[in-house]
Amino acid sequence: MTADRTGPVLQPIGPFDVDLLAELHHRCFTAIWDRPWNAKSFADVLAMPGAAGQILSVGDAPVGFGITLQAVDEVDVLLIGVLPEARGAGLGPMLLDSLLSAAASRGAARALLEVAAENRAAIATYTKVGFTICGRRKQYYPGPTDAILYERALNSCRIDDKSHQ
Ligand SMILES: CC(C)(COP(=O)(O)OP(=O)(O)OC[C@H]1O[C@@H](n2cnc3c(N)ncnc32)[C@H](O)[C@@H]1OP(=O)(O)O)[C@@H](O)C(=O)NCCC(=O)NCCS
């Protein structure tokens, strides 16, 4: 995306971002249903085939991040977080849109995610971006809290697929 000097900027996660990701996660994920992630958790998941992610900054300050895991034409949104002081300004949907566009450019045709049933802010974000409910997992999160499963079709457009160029 293009942006002015103070507007939001999205950049792909690099191998040296794991400490920053752990700090952002610690500040974003504070609900009873959230599980802890440290720098090693991020290093491990980012080393998996199909893992990708983006960091969202405003000015020079990182304010959010998202991580996806893709297998052929399906992508799971593993994590999306925006710092509390930056919430409510549409940054979450912007980040999610960008993650899904990147996944679609790598051939994803369907996106899936799970969210704690009580996580109203995240459910609002997912609904805005076009996700619909496709299932429920009882007592999936600490609490215990149910998980609601969401899905969305993507306009898959592999950058190496000449029929879409
Ligand atoms: C989910 C999340 C990424 C949304 O980011 P965001 O940039 O605030 O997204 P939006 O601006 O679209 O706001 C989404 C909803 O948050 C709520 N909200 C609005 N202002 C808020 C604020 N200042 N503080 C907290 N929540 C707010 C509203 O319900 C809003 O929905 P609405 O616009 O329909 O009223 C963010 O709330 C977050 O990081 N939550 C903690 C981590 C998490 O649970 N991630 C999802 C599971 S991986």
Side-chain angles (χ1 to χ4, degrees), residues 71-117:
V72 194
D73 61 351
E74 274 195 0
V75 63
D76 276 313
V77 180
L78 294 186
L79 289 172
I80 175 170
V82 171
L83 289 178
E85 57 270 30
R87 289 180 191 163
L91 294 176
M94 177 191 296
L95 181 51
L96 196 46
D97 264 342
S98 181
L99 291 166
L100 297 178
S101 296
S105 75
R106 294 188 295 266
R110 182 175 183 236
L112 295 160
L113 59 83
E114 59 211 22
V115 60

Side-chain angles (χ1 to χ4, degrees), residues 28-29 79-82 87-93 119 121-122 124-126 128:
C28 289
F29 289 80
L79 289 172
I80 175 170
V82 171
R87 289 180 191 163
L91 294 176
N119 193 344
T125 293
Y126 299 146
K128 277 183 217 173

